[in-house]
């Protein structure tokens, strides 16, 4: 029927099947990332692949804790750092998103999400960061946590990327792997 819903839709919006949107190109590779902390300071890998947000899949995030602090949620004076060059596209409530393509939009290209940062230590939205620049002090702020740490995950075109999937989560040559249970895993 040329005068039904489909025809009306085509007049208003065009052909819905003519749009081709490729969220993840077949040859997509992560750009080079460094570890999210300063050289010559020993941090602990405390959380293997687990949900980046909430309790759902994909398991996109991994966790690192700074050198020992006083108590489970003690104050840290050790900086979490930028894993790559980018611009801060979001900075609030213990979270920083580093947009790597520099357009300020975390829904295009690569973006790195940092969470559980002390809110008074994070850079403002719009700040340009170079690899190794300070992103914030790890903390227990923002959601559930059992200790001071930084939670880090990747996105491409606004979609979370599995930490142990076809596009390896590699930081300074270390690759994240899951043991099949959230938060369990290792770096190799």
């Amino acid at each position: 029927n040329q005068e039904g819903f489909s025809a009306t839709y085509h007049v208003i919006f065009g052909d819905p099947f003519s749009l081709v949107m490729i969220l993840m190109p077949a040859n997509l590779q992560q750009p080079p990332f460094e570890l999210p902390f300063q050289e010559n300071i020993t941090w602990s890998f405390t959380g293997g692949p687990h949900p980046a947000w909430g309790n759902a899949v994909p398991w996109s995030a991994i966790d690192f804790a700074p050198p020992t602090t006083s108590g489970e949620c003690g104050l840290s004076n050790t900086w979490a750092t930028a894993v790559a060059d980018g611009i801060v596209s979001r900075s609030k409530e213990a979270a920083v998103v580093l947009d790597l393509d520099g357009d300020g939009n975390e829904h295009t290209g690569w973006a790195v999400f940092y969470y559980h940062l002390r809110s008074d230590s994070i850079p403002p939205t719009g700040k340009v960061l170079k690899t190794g620049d300070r992103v914030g002090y790890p903390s227990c702020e923002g959601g559930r946590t059992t200790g001071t740490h930084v939670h880090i995950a990747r996105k491409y075109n606004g979609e979370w990327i599995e930490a142990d999937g076809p596009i390896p989560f590699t930081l300074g040559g270390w690759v994240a792997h899951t043991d099949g249970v959230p938060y369990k895993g290792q770096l190799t």
Side-chain angles (χ1 to χ4, degrees):
N1 180 345
Q2 300 253 342
E3 296 184 27
F5 174 79
S6 179
T8 303
Y9 186 94
H10 276 75
V11 168
I12 297 171
F13 301 109
D15 182 2
F17 301 106
S18 69
L19 299 174
V20 176
M21 180 182 240
I22 299 173
L23 289 177
M24 305 278 177
N27 62 349
L28 184 64
Q29 294 184 10
Q30 175 193 289
F33 288 174
E34 294 302 319
L35 288 163
F37 46 87
Q38 296 167 313
E39 287 185 35
N40 301 318
I41 298 177
T42 303
W43 284 52
S44 298
F45 175 66
T46 57
H50 60 280
W53 194 259
N55 295 316
V57 291
W59 293 350
S60 303
I62 57 178
D63 295 340
F64 293 93
T68 305
T69 56
S70 59
E72 293 175 348
C73 283
L75 289 177
S76 173
N77 292 320
T78 306
W79 292 99
T81 59
V83 298
D85 294 353
I87 186 170
V88 176
S89 62
R90 180 168 29 126
S91 176
K92 67 178 189 175
E93 299 172 9
V96 169
V97 177
L98 186 61
D99 170 45
L100 304 190
D101 66 10
D103 67 359
N105 183 351
E106 69 184 89
H107 303 293
T108 60
W110 284 98
V112 180
F113 174 71
Y114 295 81
Y115 198 45
H116 303 303
L117 296 173
R118 209 171 78 204
S119 293
D120 67 353
S121 71
I122 59 179
T125 299
K127 173 104 173 144
V128 174
L129 298 178
K130 295 291 186 191
T131 304
D133 283 352
R134 297 169 174 179
V135 176
Y137 288 127
S139 75
C140 288
E141 289 183 37
R144 297 179 314 206
T145 178
T146 58
T148 300
H149 73 286
V150 64
H151 170 99
I152 185 170
R154 314 166 294 166
K155 290 178 168 185
Y156 184 79
N157 284 346
E159 298 291 324
W160 297 113
I161 304 292
E162 286 181 290
D164 187 8
I167 304 164
F169 197 167
T170 305
L171 296 159
W174 294 91
V175 180
H177 301 282
T178 182
D179 285 350
V181 175
Y183 298 93
K184 302 293 182 187
Q186 63 273 334
L187 293 175
T188 58

